[in-house]
Amino acid sequence: MKLNNKSFFVLISTLALAGCNNPFSKHVKCDDESATSLVTQVLQDDLAQSLEHELKTLIKNGAIKDLDPTKLKLSAKNIQFALADSRTDFIDPNSPKTSCSVDLTATIPSDLVKKSDEARAKVDAVSVEQHANNLDVDYENHKVHLTLEYVLQPTDKGDKVLALLKNTANMQTLLSETLTYAFLKPQIEKNQIRNLEANKAAVQRNNAENIDYSASNEAIEATDAATTAASEAYYEDY
């Protein structure tokens, strides 16, 4: 008999969780490998959703006419999340919930930080580092450090574990906007070139109009002078 692949992987996941926890308890250990993998996945999914929201806003505003939208969403994969030293903060005796904390490090590639800072400078926005300071995020050398708080809870059936992350909002904002500015850098540069060209064309039009205006004034003045001269000659003859 051939096993259904989906059922097979669910079984493996369930066994892995059971092997790491007391079989007489519904609580999931904070250092359970499947649970920490789930936390990492939630971090990645949250960032992807944040970038999706940014992208919809950019498209609605017509801000990325020359860029491939998929590149922004794909840039989320460049962020590396690492978890270390998980701790159990509280095991709820009245529910299967377990409160945990863990040392989280989110690493942003240096080239993306550089692009983001360059784009920010062009539009007079604060740097990535200053943005982190404004958000009260611990950021240094392209890394974000956070004591992540989260809650683990298995479903009633025990076939799945849910992870609720508590204090990631500011970090996710920093990551999302850093990636967004890096993504927008080529568009910002193109827009600035277009603005320069438009301003140059406007100056040229103004100069041409001023030349035409000066020529017109000179013609009027010449006509007035000729008329005056003719009138003076008429009165002298008279």
Side-chain angles (χ1 to χ4, degrees), residues 104-120:
L104 166 65
T105 301
T107 303
I108 314 171
S110 59
D111 62 318
L112 290 180
V113 174
K114 183 174 182 292
K115 288 179 181 178
S116 185
D117 279 339
E118 290 173 347
R120 290 165 183 263

Side-chain angles (χ1 to χ4, degrees), residues 25-36:
S25 172
K26 291 184 178 181
H27 293 92
V28 180
K29 289 184 178 180
C30 295
D31 62 353
D32 186 286
E33 185 176 349
S34 298
T36 54

Side-chain angles (χ1 to χ4, degrees), residues 93-197:
N94 300 315
S95 78
K97 294 181 180 181
T98 302
S99 298
C100 312
S101 59
V102 67
D103 293 335
L104 166 65
T105 301
T107 303
I108 314 171
S110 59
D111 62 318
L112 290 180
V113 174
K114 183 174 182 292
K115 288 179 181 178
S116 185
D117 279 339
E118 290 173 347
R120 290 165 183 263
K122 292 179 182 295
V123 294
D124 296 325
V126 298
S127 67
V128 173
E129 184 172 3
Q130 185 58 54
H131 190 202
N133 289 337
N134 293 344
L135 292 169
D136 198 23
V137 172
D138 183 0
Y139 170 82
E140 185 177 8
N141 295 328
H142 312 140
K143 296 179 186 294
V144 174
H145 302 281
L146 174 69
T147 299
L148 172 63
E149 299 173 0
Y150 60 101
V151 175
L152 298 174
Q153 180 180 7
T155 59
D156 291 341
K157 290 183 179 180
D159 58 342
K160 295 179 182 178
V161 176
L162 306 178
L164 173 64
L165 311 189
K166 289 187 174 182
N167 58 330
T168 61
N170 286 354
M171 178 194 70
Q172 292 287 22
T173 297
L174 177 68
L175 296 177
S176 176
E177 294 196 14
T178 297
L179 293 176
T180 300
Y181 271 110
F183 167 73
L184 286 174
K185 181 176 179 285
Q187 184 71 66
I188 292 172
E189 291 173 340
K190 288 183 179 180
N191 290 345
Q192 288 184 332
I193 292 173
R194 287 171 181 161
N195 289 338
L196 287 173
E197 292 176 344

Side-chain angles (χ1 to χ4, degrees), residues 220-235:
I220 292 172
E221 290 174 358
T223 301
D224 289 343
T227 302
T228 301
S231 297
E232 291 175 350
Y234 170 80
Y235 285 114

